[in-house]
Amino acid sequence: MSEQVELAGVRAVASVSAREVDDSTGALRLLRETLLLNDDAYAVVRDASSSLWRGFAALLWILLFTIVARGLALFFGMLTSPRLDVLQTQIYEMLTSLGFYQAQVQQSPGFADQFRWGYAGLWEGIRLLGGYPSVVGTASTAISLLIYLLLGWLVYGLVVHVVARWMGGRASLGQTLGGLALAYAPLLLTVIVIVPGARVPASLIFLLILVARFQAIKTVHRLTPGYSLVALITPYLISLVLLIGVILFGLAYAAAQIPYLQPFLQGWLLFNTFNWLW
Amino acid sequence: MKIAFRIYSDVLQDRRETIEALIHSRAGVAFALKMFVIVMLIAGLGQWFGIPVAIQQPLLSERIQDLGDTIQDIGNQAIDTIDEYMSTISQENLPETLTRLINDLISQGVKTGVKSLQRSMIEAGVPPEQLDQLMAQVIPLEDPFSAQVTGLLAIPLHERWFTSRFGLRPEQIVWVDEQINAVADRVNEAIDQAQAEAELLEPPLGARTSRLIRLFGRWLSTPFTSVSGWLFVALVGLLVAKLLGGRATVAQHLAAVLLAAGPAVLFFVAFIPIMRYVLPLPYSMAIHYFGRVLALIAIGWSGLILLKTLAVAHDFSFWRSAGALALTWLFLWVIIPAVSFAALAYVWGG
């Protein structure tokens, strides 16, 4: 009897913890349910009168939280990190007082500006590699995030929609994009970086977004898990093939500029042909 | 709270009914996620044993200060050693009469030394008329020689060795001494400047306070850094389970994996850092290896729970669940690398 009472208690906890999501659920609540892997959130967006704008509103909240978090992380990070700007200024003053620098400035008037930009760029690289906070690094991360989120959402959503419809999916483009917008909810975990020393591995964010996208495609298009998986990975495969193509043709263009490489490659091809014949 | 603790206890005991109620309920994943985060934060508390290390670890400016003290100690020891050595050899390898002469000249003054020289000459059997001629030459030299010897008396013993060995004049010895002291002063000045600049580099909140804040941040990240490596394995496991006919959704499968992390509180000791500056190294190593023993127990216990939770989530038997785990390992370490290698070989080989 006591075991039955315990089990009832467990079920009671499970049911109390369950929160229903419906059309009246706000964007933040939808994002919370998405983080808890509750696929009802995608169903709400799918069934909304304006799925695209519902999803876009959630995306804007994600952008707002992550960019504000980055800004606060920069502020608190600077309070608790070594003051590299002092070292940077001292080394700069030492270098610019050298005879070599003075001679170069006299020879070429633009050298001073080039040196200053190159020197600043080098220190930004040092900050990036060392994990030290920097204004330039934070600003470029925020801009990249904005571009990645919006562009990635649109391009990925378009390709997924085409493949999902081909697989038998029934959603509209707006529903697809609305559902996929919620799938960026794992980015909210990066808010933790406000605390200096805290970090969320990028691989974790990537995998969680992958899982959320799978749930979004499956729920919005009402596909089987297998077809949902195909629709999920197709854009990644296309990107990989395009990337390989860009690398190969880029290398080919660079190699074609080297005059001595072509005879060597011809000889190598000839050797391979003889090898194959033999 | 009491019920949540009872549920956690049931999960640790691998009770099927509780696991089934959690995985097949809508909020099962939410509970599993919350349980995982709390368990990993408790395990991560071991990192707080690093507080004494963070406080006692020397700052950069303190390390520079220590370096300066070390250089000074080495310099002083070197000079003391040279002094001791020179005082030994300056009394060796000289005839007894000459030793007495030098001691007389240096310690008793020139006039006494001259008298001593005279006495030595008589003892050595120098004829009186030759002795008179020699004294007639030496005595006029008394004043300038006296000045030289006075200069010699002012110089420490090791420098007298340089005088007798290399023929340096007293003013040259004084110049060399001044240069050595100037170098020592410049070294001290450089160390003081480096120390001042190292203090300028410290964070605005202070180096030690910053270390504590960052320790807090690392503790907060514990659930995320712990799960990042395992999530990929869990997803591959989901694929394998589906291939074997599993019926769990993504959420149910992940809930099953997260529930298996219940024993991870035993990682508490493994999270304790090496306690340099606080404990002797043998004790730190003992804590480290004891933590690994407890972590091994936690891994084994979690494995057993995982077999049950996967079986419940996918509606498998115990052995099918074990087969799914084994196949997952095979996929990750054998099949995926082999397929990747074969694909590369095909593309490269043409």
Side-chain angles (χ1 to χ4, degrees), chain B residues 83-92 157:
Chain B
D83 267 343
E84 204 178 302
Y85 178 67
M86 295 312 153
S87 66
T88 315
I89 67 163
S90 67
Q91 305 251 338
E92 291 173 355
L157 192 62

Side-chain angles (χ1 to χ4, degrees), chain A residues 19 34 36 38 50 72 76 90 111 119 138 141 166 219 249-252 263:
Chain A
R19 289 188 172 88
T34 307
L36 296 177
N38 183 1
S50 177
L72 289 172
F76 290 118
Q90 286 176 349
F111 178 78
Y119 182 77
T138 302
T141 303
W166 183 39
T219 308
F249 286 101
L251 283 175

Side-chain angles (χ1 to χ4, degrees), chain B residues 15-258:
Chain B
R15 288 183 180 267
R16 190 183 180 92
E17 296 81 17
T18 306
I19 292 170
E20 208 167 315
L22 286 171
I23 287 177
H24 291 126
S25 71
R26 188 170 287 181
V29 173
F31 183 86
L33 271 169
K34 287 174 200 167
M35 190 204 80
F36 175 78
V37 169
I38 291 168
V39 160
M40 291 316 299
L41 284 175
I42 293 172
L45 286 173
Q47 295 173 77
W48 287 98
F49 280 82
I51 291 178
V53 177
I55 291 171
Q56 292 186 27
Q57 191 175 1
L59 307 178
L60 180 61
S61 55
E62 289 166 359
R63 286 181 198 270
I64 292 172
Q65 171 76 38
D66 290 342
L67 180 66
D69 292 344
T70 305
I71 290 172
Q72 221 166 23
D73 287 344
I74 290 171
N76 290 339
Q77 274 179 16
I79 289 173
D80 289 345
T81 306
I82 292 170
D83 267 343
E84 204 178 302
Y85 178 67
M86 295 312 153
S87 66
T88 315
I89 67 163
S90 67
Q91 305 251 338
E92 291 173 355
N93 303 326
L94 291 174
E96 196 182 322
T97 50
L98 198 51
T99 306
R100 195 178 68 226
L101 173 63
I102 290 174
N103 283 339
D104 286 342
L105 280 173
I106 291 170
S107 63
Q108 296 173 26
V110 175
K111 290 192 186 309
T112 313
V114 169
K115 283 184 187 165
S116 183
L117 175 65
Q118 205 171 8
R119 191 166 63 244
S120 302
M121 295 291 179
I122 293 167
E123 281 172 5
V126 175
E129 50 281 349
Q130 276 189 10
L131 182 59
D132 289 340
Q133 276 179 5
L134 187 61
M135 286 297 113
Q137 286 174 4
V138 165
I139 288 168
L141 294 174
E142 269 180 26
D143 286 337
F145 192 62
S146 175
Q148 295 238 357
V149 172
T150 306
L152 274 175
L153 283 173
I155 298 167
L157 192 62
H158 62 275
E159 291 165 354
R160 291 180 209 149
W161 182 84
F162 277 101
T163 307
S164 63
R165 187 62 186 257
F166 298 109
L168 293 175
R169 295 193 304 279
E171 57 270 22
Q172 287 175 326
I173 297 293
V174 169
W175 180 85
V176 168
D177 199 47
E178 278 171 2
Q179 293 307 305
I180 291 171
N181 287 334
V183 166
D185 289 341
R186 276 199 291 271
V187 167
N188 285 336
E189 208 177 288
I191 287 171
D192 288 341
Q193 194 176 358
Q195 198 180 344
E197 288 183 7
E199 281 169 10
L200 280 179
L201 290 179
E202 282 181 17
L205 286 182
R208 291 193 161 93
T209 310
S210 301
R211 282 178 188 165
L212 293 176
I213 293 172
R214 287 182 178 276
L215 180 63
F216 175 70
R218 280 197 300 276
W219 171 69
L220 274 184
S221 313
T222 310
F224 304 111
T225 51
S226 306
V227 84
S228 63
W230 289 103
L231 185 57
F232 179 71
V233 177
L235 292 175
V236 173
L238 173 62
L239 274 174
V240 171
K242 286 291 195 180
L243 285 172
L244 291 175
R247 295 183 199 173
T249 62
V250 172
Q252 286 171 340
H253 176 84
L254 290 179
V257 172
L258 290 172

Side-chain angles (χ1 to χ4, degrees), chain A residues 93-151:
Chain A
E93 284 169 4
M94 192 259 300
L95 288 173
T96 51
S97 64
L98 291 176
F100 170 76
Y101 177 86
Q102 304 293 337
Q104 287 294 319
V105 166
Q106 280 171 4
Q107 273 180 18
S108 154
F111 178 78
D113 284 336
Q114 284 173 4
F115 181 81
R116 190 171 56 248
W117 284 111
Y119 182 77
L122 174 68
W123 274 94
E124 286 303 324
I126 290 171
R127 284 183 174 86
L128 192 67
L129 287 172
Y132 296 107
S134 82
V135 175
V136 170
T138 302
S140 58
T141 303
I143 292 169
S144 319
L145 195 64
L146 188 69
I147 295 171
Y148 160 72
L149 270 186
L150 294 176
L151 210 60

Side-chain angles (χ1 to χ4, degrees), chain B residues 303-326:
Chain B
L304 286 173
I305 297 175
L306 184 63
L307 287 171
K308 178 66 69 69
T309 55
L310 282 182
V312 167
H314 289 281
D315 202 17
F316 282 166
S317 66
F318 179 84
W319 291 110
R320 202 176 185 92
S321 180
L325 281 181

